[in-house]
Amino acid sequence: MNVINALYELATLPGIPSQQRILIVDDEPHFRRAYSSLLAADERMIDEAATGLVALEKLKEGRIDLVILDLRLPDISGLEIMEWLVAHEIDTTVIVFSADKSINSAIHALRHRAFEFLRKDCDPDDMIIAVERALSQRQREKEHALITARLRHSESLHRFLVEQSPDLIFTLDSEGYFTFFNGRVQTLLGYAPEELTGQHYSAIVDPRDHEHARFAFNERRIGPRSTNNLEVRFRRKPSAGRARNGVCITTILSSQGIYRTTNLGQPGLFLGTSGVARDISERKQAEETIAFQAFHDLLTRLPNRTLFVDRLEMAITQAVRRKEKLAVMFLDLDRFKLVNDTYGHQAGDQLLREFAARIRRCLRTGDTLARQGGDEFTALLPNLTSPEDIGVIAEKILSELRRPFLVADTEFLATASIGLAVYPDDAVSAQDLIRCADVAMYQVKAQGKNGYVAFQPYMHQAHRDRLSIENDLRNAVKTGDQFELHYQPQIDALTGRVVGLEALIRWHHPQEGLIRPDVFIPIAEETGLIVAISDWVLNEACAQLSVLRERGHGHLRMGVNLSPREFERTDLLERVEAPLARFAVPPESLEIEITESLLMKDVENIVVRVKHLRSTGVHISIDDFGTRYSSLNYLRRFSVSRIKIDQSFVRDLKAPQDSCAIIQAIVGIARNFNLQVMVEGVETAHQVAVLRQLGCHEMQGYFFCQPMPAGELTEFLEGQLAA
């Protein structure tokens, strides 16, 4: 073929179409519309298919440059489509977009020659970048193919093709020394081709792959038996600096022998080896990222539950062999929901990261800290010389947490509840050890949080009982027919008349009978069920107030206890106002009772919410006053209208060293702040007489009457009217 004919044939070769065709395969119309809108461009023609079979027909019809493919389709799977493309040698590029978050789906897609695997919840910019990269690469591949075709017609084009190849192309002599490298080596490894000419292949092959790759660089076979798709790491030139993916790149290597051709056209003397290496560093990094995500928590970068169990099982195996002990620690971050509700999930995420970092610093080098999920963490402590060592570490953690965290520019004291379990004392399997530590952690929660407890066998039953109550409580909240309000009258001791009522919830369990509030209320607070229970109590109390007002008892006020958890919610005001409006009850008839401990929690936010309630006309009283953090400043800032003296002071009135001085001081404080005083737990005539002498007039307790259901309350009040 002369030059003129070669140039003519080159000129008549078909060019590369300027328009790019994209096929979107997804059974969800809104995803197809979103993808089409996002990828629309003048040079692109976008088609859609809702099923796999429709997609196959469109692929059969003509050239498609890029397929955006969902793995889950109503007829055939995305993987089957990719297998069909390979089997029929369809020249197209595939990007998989899937809602499936499993590691296997991603790995299968990449192994089926997917250009990239992205999840449907990814950033739209990531999708645009992936498509542009795929189309750019395809454009380069088409250009490469065109050059290959021209190479058949012109020897002059051979060098151009080799030099412009996206792959490393090289030759070696029979001893494994490079005789040629194309210009791509400069881009990927930082070497000029002449720098490697005459160098042994070991100069650029990573030492870890020397033995693995030595036959590939001395390959004597040709044809189907030659080396194909061998993964080899190449080292970059030191002066080239660190590559984007490190000092090495990962390649897929193919090579075959070079022979002098005999007169008969048969291979003769072995001359060396030729090879092609394609850079797959980005793909390898993607695979490693997917593998990391499968076994780690992305927020804290800690091992996840799966990896923790695997390490624990390995540690148990070693402990059996070495006859050692190990421990599992279960940690729960106390009051974490408060941060999320108050400052948002972003602040909550930051707190979890900092919490994990602090805990990690308290552990030993060989220990494993993992995130189980939410605000729960586990720690593996192998090689214990003594079971007491775990207590030392727990104390160290609690001490570290005494330093406040900075959350949303506000200092926040985050404590932890820690449960401990020891192998083989408490359990011998991984799952049982974790379960025992979890049970012990709940024991800490029940005891007031911010501490640690070692597992004891009796805790299993206590935990099962608690879970049973929790499940039954959820059902009771759902049905709403197991709760009842009892009302305890509040008496003016000077006149003997009823001046108010306190609403007290009762739970009538269908099997267990009456369950005390001090049993189920803490569980309701911990699980968040207290919100629904409080709404029910407010609604029932306001309904009863409405009935009493119709019967001529409009002067009565109704006291309702609200959990501290309620004041963590931003919608508290609306939830209190709603039942008042529904039953046309004046706000001043309702008295919200709060505990003194609430005044110490997140003071600024609590003050705001209490003042909002007070501005509506609702009264605020402090229950159990004098038992915790008495502060005159709190009385002033919280705009309370009444303080309720705790019954513990009343019981001491019968003792030689009684509480008269304390009660007298409280009454004096109340007068100075223009507050009303109510005394709880009054049970004897002696207590009534002493309290009257001390200036206390409003009282409640068994001396006057016990809490009673609505029907008995009506009769009681009617009797007072008749008297």
Side-chain angles (χ1 to χ4, degrees):
M1 182 181 293
N2 60 39
V3 175
I4 295 176
N5 288 335
L7 292 175
Y8 173 78
E9 292 187 11
L10 288 173
T12 58
L13 286 173
I16 301 171
S18 59
Q19 190 177 50
Q20 298 169 322
R21 296 187 63 192
I22 300 175
L23 175 63
I24 299 172
V25 185
D26 200 303
D27 62 334
E28 299 185 56
H30 66 278
F31 275 119
R32 296 199 304 273
R33 289 194 299 269
Y35 296 164
S36 297
S37 176
L38 196 62
L39 301 177
D42 293 336
E43 73 278 5
R44 296 173 183 171
M45 184 177 75
I46 299 177
D47 201 357
E48 299 178 4
T51 67
L53 294 176
V54 172
L56 293 180
E57 292 299 321
K58 292 182 180 293
L59 288 165
K60 292 175 184 177
E61 292 172 3
R63 174 186 61 83
I64 293 181
D65 296 289
L66 177 63
V67 180
I68 295 177
L69 182 62
D70 189 4
L71 294 181
R72 295 182 178 177
L73 298 170
D75 44 9
I76 60 176
S77 71
L79 293 177
E80 289 177 298
I81 293 176
M82 295 171 71
E83 290 172 352
W84 183 88
L85 290 172
V86 174
H88 291 78
E89 299 181 352
I90 302 298
D91 182 23
T92 189
T93 302
V94 179
I95 295 179
V96 174
F97 275 77
S98 176
D100 190 349
K101 297 185 178 181
S102 69
I103 182 68
N104 289 334
S105 296
I107 291 174
H108 287 329
L110 294 173
R111 286 178 176 175
H112 281 71
R113 302 184 185 180
F115 178 82
E116 197 156 349
F117 179 94
L118 297 176
R119 295 190 171 93
K120 287 188 175 182
D121 59 357
C122 72
D123 191 320
D125 289 340
D126 293 341
M127 178 183 185
I128 294 172
I129 292 171
V131 169
E132 291 178 348
R133 188 163 65 242
L135 292 174
S136 296
Q137 178 168 317
R138 182 168 180 81
Q139 185 74 8
R140 290 194 301 269
E141 291 174 350
K142 289 181 178 179
E143 293 171 354
H144 184 44
L146 181 60
I147 293 171
T148 302
R150 290 176 175 176
L151 185 62
R152 292 195 299 266
H153 304 279
S154 175
E155 183 66 28
S156 64
L157 295 178
H158 173 72
R159 179 65 60 179
F160 177 80
L161 172 66
V162 172
E163 291 302 324
Q164 295 300 315
S165 173
D167 301 327
L168 288 175
I169 300 176
F170 59 87
T171 59
L172 305 102
D173 64 17
S174 59
E175 300 299 322
Y177 292 87
F178 289 114
T179 57
F180 171 79
F181 244 122
N182 70 339
R184 183 64 168 160
V185 71
Q186 182 98 43
T187 305
L188 294 180
L189 301 182
Y191 291 98
E194 56 269 20
E195 291 183 86
L196 292 178
T197 302
Q199 296 290 320
H200 194 263
Y201 70 83
S202 59
I204 63 169
V205 175
D206 188 272
R208 293 171 292 180
D209 292 341
H210 277 181
E211 184 63 26
H212 175 60
R214 67 187 181 93
F215 292 107
F217 289 97
N218 292 280
E219 180 61 272
R220 294 174 177 267
R221 296 171 297 184
I222 59 175
R225 296 183 64 247
S226 58
T227 297
N228 288 290
N229 299 327
L230 180 67
E231 197 171 293
V232 178
R233 286 167 289 193
F234 287 158
R235 292 184 299 173
R236 286 177 55 85
K237 185 178 180 180
S239 61
R242 292 183 65 86
R244 183 172 54 187
N245 296 315
V247 296
C248 292
I249 67 168
T250 304
T251 68
I252 288 291
L253 175 68
S254 298
S255 62
Q256 64 178 357
I258 304 173
Y259 293 87
R260 179 176 290 142
T261 305
T262 65
N263 293 332
L264 299 177
Q266 299 296 319
L269 179 67
F270 174 68
L271 300 176
T273 305
S274 65
V276 178
R278 172 164 293 182
D279 181 18
I280 61 167
S281 299
E282 289 189 359
R283 194 184 82 187
K284 288 293 293 183
Q285 186 177 25
E287 291 175 353
E288 291 170 0
T289 299
I290 292 170
F292 180 87
Q293 292 175 351
F295 298 104
H296 291 80
D297 170 57
L298 297 185
L299 177 65
T300 62
R301 313 297 288 179
L302 293 176
N304 62 11
R305 182 187 295 108
T306 302
L307 183 55
F308 181 81
V309 171
D310 183 67
R311 290 186 180 180
L312 177 55
E313 289 175 344
M314 291 178 60
I316 290 174
T317 301
Q318 292 179 350
V320 171
R321 186 164 52 250
R322 300 172 182 174
K323 297 183 179 179
E324 295 176 340
K325 294 180 181 289
L326 62 84
V328 170
M329 182 180 290
F330 203 107
L331 307 97
D332 184 90
L333 180 58
D334 300 327
R335 301 168 63 219
F336 176 68
K337 189 177 184 299
L338 172 61
V339 175
N340 274 346
D341 291 346
T342 306
Y343 304 109
H345 289 277
Q346 186 174 357
D349 289 347
Q350 182 61 31
L351 175 61
L352 287 173
R353 285 192 290 266
E354 293 183 13
F355 177 82
R358 287 199 193 181
I359 302 304
R360 190 69 195 85
R361 289 195 296 269
C362 296
L363 302 180
R364 304 167 302 174
T365 303
D367 299 338
T368 296
L369 179 65
R371 186 185 180 198
Q372 294 291 302
D375 57 356
E376 294 182 338
F377 297 79
T378 51
L380 166 62
L381 311 175
N383 307 321
L384 288 182
T385 56
S386 171
E388 287 73 24
D389 292 348
I390 189 174
V392 174
I393 297 174
E395 288 283 3
K396 187 177 179 182
I397 292 172
L398 294 176
S399 177
E400 178 69 20
L401 295 178
R402 293 190 182 102
R403 292 187 297 109
F405 293 84
L406 190 64
V407 178
D409 297 324
T410 302
E411 286 190 347
F412 181 83
L413 188 62
T415 60
S417 299
I418 306 173
L420 314 175
V422 176
Y423 170 90
D425 302 4
D426 301 322
V428 295
S429 72
Q431 294 295 344
D432 287 345
L433 272 171
I434 296 172
R435 191 176 300 109
C436 289
D438 188 19
V439 168
M441 183 274 293
Y442 273 105
Q443 188 72 16
V444 180
K445 290 282 190 183
Q447 294 175 357
K449 308 175 182 178
N450 189 24
Y452 71 93
V453 165
F455 173 79
Q456 298 295 330
Y458 77 86
M459 294 179 183
H460 270 311
Q461 186 59 47
H463 188 60
R464 284 192 290 268
D465 292 344
R466 186 196 178 282
L467 288 178
S468 178
I469 291 176
E470 181 180 328
N471 292 332
D472 292 345
L473 185 59
R474 291 184 185 277
N475 183 63
V477 169
K478 183 178 180 179
T479 60
D481 59 358
Q482 298 179 23
F483 296 121
E484 182 184 20
L485 285 187
H486 284 201
Y487 305 90
Q488 186 169 33
Q490 297 169 337
I491 310 298
D492 185 334
L494 297 177
T495 65
R497 308 300 295 179
V498 178
V499 294
L501 306 166
E502 182 177 4
L504 302 167
I505 191 170
R506 298 291 186 263
W507 179 17
H508 296 281
H509 192 281
Q511 286 80 40
E512 303 296 330
L514 190 66
I515 297 181
R516 304 189 312 276
D518 61 336
V519 173
F520 71 86
I521 291 297
I523 296 175
E525 291 178 334
E526 185 177 326
T527 58
L529 294 172
I530 193 65
V531 175
I533 292 175
S534 295
D535 288 343
W536 183 90
V537 170
L538 282 168
N539 194 76
E540 288 294 310
C542 289
Q544 183 62 26
L545 263 178
S546 178
V547 172
L548 293 176
R549 289 176 60 82
E550 291 176 358
R551 292 179 174 270
H553 303 289
H555 66 288
L556 294 178
R557 62 176 183 270
M558 180 74 73
V560 175
N561 295 275
L562 286 188
S563 163
R565 288 286 299 271
E566 295 296 309
F567 288 83
E568 298 171 4
R569 299 180 59 88
T570 57
D571 61 346
L572 174 62
L573 183 62
E574 292 81 1
R575 290 173 44 239
V576 172
E577 288 183 323
L580 290 172
R582 185 180 302 117
F583 296 103
V585 174
E588 57 269 17
S589 296
L590 182 64
E591 185 169 275
I592 300 298
E593 298 188 11
I594 61 178
T595 60
E596 204 172 351
S597 58
L598 173 66
L599 309 184
M600 296 293 293
K601 297 181 179 180
D602 194 21
V603 174
E604 296 305 321
N605 284 317
I606 299 298
V607 166
V608 171
R609 288 165 192 167
V610 170
K611 285 185 175 180
H612 283 170
L613 281 177
R614 195 73 179 89
S615 66
T616 66
V618 172
H619 292 282
I620 305 294
S621 69
I622 300 179
D623 199 11
D624 303 332
F625 188 82
T627 60
R628 293 181 181 265
Y629 311 101
S630 300
S631 172
L632 302 183
N633 186 49
Y634 293 143
L635 296 179
R636 178 181 57 83
R637 296 186 64 190
F638 281 84
S639 304
V640 300
S641 52
R642 189 181 313 277
I643 56 178
K644 299 183 70 175
I645 298 176
D646 187 70
Q647 59 183 343
S648 61
F649 299 113
V650 179
R651 287 194 299 267
D652 289 343
L653 289 176
K654 61 185 177 181
Q657 300 293 327
D658 58 34
S659 304
C660 289
I662 296 175
I663 295 175
Q664 193 169 25
I666 294 174
V667 171
I669 293 170
R671 287 174 179 170
N672 289 332
F673 282 90
N674 198 27
L675 303 177
Q676 300 296 315
V677 176
M678 169 70 65
V679 185
E680 300 178 298
V682 180
E683 297 181 352
T684 67
H686 171 72
Q687 292 170 347
V688 173
V690 174
L691 290 169
R692 288 181 61 178
Q693 291 177 359
L694 295 172
C696 303
H697 304 302
E698 293 188 0
M699 310 175 192
Q700 72 179 85
Y702 284 9
F703 177 77
F704 302 103
C705 52
Q706 298 185 19
M708 59 190 75
E712 294 182 20
L713 174 67
T714 301
E715 294 179 6
F716 179 83
L717 294 176
E718 295 299 330
Q720 278 222 333
L721 285 178

